[in-house]
Structures are given as C-alpha cells and as structure tokens.
Amino acid sequence: MAEQVLARGMTRLMDDVLQAGGAVEEGVCNEQCLLQSKLDSLVPYTSRLLGFFQKSQAGDSVDGLMSPSKAGYRWRGHTESHTLTLGLDNYPWALVPSTGELHIGLYSWVAYMTCLNAKLSSTAGDAELESHLEMLEKIHWNTQENMYCDVMMGICKDYDELKDENEGLEHVFVCHCRYISLFPMLLGLVLPDSKKLGHILSMIEVPEELWAEFGIWSLSKRDEFYGQGKNYWWGSILININYLILSSLHCNYMGVEGLYQEQAWSIYTRLCNNLIANVFEQYQSSRFFWEQYNSEGSAGQHTYPFTGWTTLIVLLMAEKH
C-alpha cells in the first residue's frame, strides 16, 4: 500500500510544477523547470505502465471491439477465496469467479493512472480520461444501493479464465459495502458537487455500516461475510485505507464549497481523532504498533511490532497528506 501513498505525493508534486509553469528567464531553467523536465521524462514509462493494465486486465466485451474503458477491467488470478493481484486479497467477491466479472477497484486505479498520465503529458488525451470517468459511473454505480459495485456480465461457471458459456450479457451488480466501494472517492474521481459523494460520505459515517468509534471497518457489519473466514479484510480496521480516506477528504473535498463540505469536515475531524486515540491507547497498553485493529474491541491484532502502514498515524497527527 506504500505506492498508494507515494502516488498521492506525486500528484501534489505534479500539481505544483504544472501551476508554476516552469518559468524560464534568459534561457536558464529554474528549479521548477528542472522538475518539469524530470516529470516529462517519466511519460514514456507511465504510459507503458498504463497500457499494460489496460491491455492485460481488460474486461471481456461482447464483440471484442470495445475499448477497455467501455468494456471495464477484471483482475486476473481471481479465485473463490482470493484476489492476490489486488492486494486486498480475501475480500468477498462474486461467488463464482469467471471472466464475466468487472472490478470497481481495478477500474478506479486505471482511471486514476489515466488522470496522472494526463497531468504529466500534454499529449495524453483528455477524451480518454473523460471516457473512463463516464464509464465508471455507467458500469459500476448501482442506483438502487447508491454505491459503487463490482459487476457480473452473464452467468459464468468456469474457473480457468479461458472462456465462458454465456449467451448474451446481463448486467448484474455484486455489492458489498467495503473499502473497495470507496475507491473512486479515495482517488478523487468523484466530483465535490456530485450526489454520489453524499451517498459515499453517508455510507462511511453510518454506525453499524462502516463507522466505528476507533476507525472505519473494512467490511460493513451488515454484510453476511462480516467477521467470517480468515477475517483479514472482512471487518478489521486497517490504518492504510483509513489514511487514504482522510487524505482524500483533506485534499479533494474539505476545501471545496458545496453541499458536502461540512460533512467532509465532520468525518475528517472525528475519524482522525478516533484513529489517533485508539492507536495510541493500544500502543500504551502493549508497547506495539499492530498490523490491524479488531473490529469489535479496538485491540491490535495480527503482526506486531508493525511499523509499516500503521505508522501513517504519525502523518495524521502532523496532518501531512
């Protein structure tokens, strides 16, 4: 998850450089100009990385002619119990893994990479970015549940990722209120004045949904899979995703006047205080940072001492996003 945090820092660096415009006087580049030159040199590599995801993780379309953004994206290697390519590996997915799945988390990352690439290069097409953002809504937003969901196209029964025995495609949502449902907001892909943002913020702060007094649960307490199995991402509280929630609120929504600014401020303030208080309390009692925190009793659990993503709490204390 470190790369997620680094990506956000890279975004801020690019914004600073692009706003400065890389001023040049009498043929001598100043520091901003040199930074812009460095960023320009990254374009071939970021474009190659983006192209890799667009090609290798593209969803299956009906006629094979759809662009990846319109066909959606699917994590390869998905099994009944794990999707190791995602990193958030044992989340509940479609009960039957198949080539007919389209994953909201992956679509969000590709759209985010497209956005970064567009900022890096003047040659990156805005049309491609707009297409991704538009299709993100069309493919993955469930108007009944008011949340972003994975999608199943047709009834698929195979496990070998070779072919599906489905005739015609049926758009079926696979909805679980979880961290992945928040990814479009975490990555700043939801506009500050969008009603969808209001639904997402409400989902975050509803008790017994994702909100706890010591952090945001990884899976809603109302979900049938809550606390089941290995229970790594099925309810436990992880500081890395909580940090991304707070960072997105701080960078994308709290400073924008509108319907949801006050709600964003309220969630940010309460969640930040709750996380810091609990991590500090558990550190005082055990003398350790923990890999994650229990969804019921707030105690640390799994690996310890864990000075990985849990130490993001120090950045939260300093309000470094």
Side-chain angles (χ1 to χ4, degrees), residues 1-9 12 239-240 242-244 246-248 250-251 268 271-273 275-276 279 289 307-321:
M1 293 298 177
E3 58 268 35
Q4 299 175 8
V5 178
L6 291 174
R8 193 167 298 280
R12 291 198 302 275
I239 302 301
N240 51 352
N242 276 262
Y243 176 84
L244 288 176
L246 290 166
S247 183
S248 182
H250 186 275
C251 298
Y268 178 88
L271 177 57
C272 192
N273 289 338
L275 286 171
I276 293 171
V279 171
F289 288 115
T307 51
W309 59 56
T310 300
T311 53
L312 286 169
I313 203 71
V314 178
L315 295 183
L316 289 181
M317 296 170 69
E319 288 198 301
K320 295 291 186 180
H321 299 288

Side-chain angles (χ1 to χ4, degrees), residues 91-237:
Y91 252 127
W93 305 87
L95 294 180
V96 181
S98 78
T99 57
E101 293 178 85
L102 301 175
H103 296 131
I104 176 58
L106 178 55
Y107 202 113
S108 299
W109 277 120
V110 173
Y112 183 64
M113 286 190 286
T114 303
C115 181
L116 292 184
N117 211 44
K119 289 184 177 182
L120 275 171
S121 171
S122 58
T123 61
D126 289 338
E128 182 183 9
L129 175 58
E130 291 177 4
S131 175
H132 273 83
L133 296 180
E134 178 183 354
M135 295 309 299
L136 174 67
E137 313 302 323
K138 289 186 177 180
I139 295 175
H140 290 287
W141 181 259
N142 186 328
T143 55
Q144 293 183 335
E145 299 291 337
N146 285 320
M147 62 186 294
Y148 288 101
C149 304
D150 291 329
V151 168
M152 283 285 291
M153 303 298 287
I155 301 175
C156 314
K157 299 181 179 179
D158 66 292
Y159 291 82
D160 57 8
E161 294 194 345
L162 295 178
K163 63 180 181 178
D164 285 319
E165 300 175 357
N166 56 324
E167 297 182 2
L169 296 183
E170 181 183 359
H171 196 100
V172 179
F173 287 107
V174 180
C175 295
H176 297 277
C177 182
R178 51 186 174 160
Y179 284 160
I180 296 176
S181 309
L182 309 176
F183 266 39
M185 186 277 286
L186 296 187
L187 298 174
L189 302 175
V190 182
L191 296 176
D193 59 352
S194 171
K195 291 183 178 179
K196 295 180 178 63
L197 177 62
H199 291 303
I200 293 172
L201 295 181
S202 296
M203 182 169 63
I204 289 174
E205 66 175 351
V206 170
E208 302 302 315
E209 193 74 86
L210 291 178
W211 184 271
E213 290 304 315
F214 31 85
I216 301 301
W217 286 319
S218 51
L219 182 66
S220 170
K221 199 168 185 178
R222 298 175 181 174
D223 195 284
E224 61 180 311
F225 294 104
Y226 173 83
Q228 301 299 310
K230 294 182 179 179
N231 191 23
Y232 192 94
W233 296 99
W234 292 23
S236 303
I237 295 169

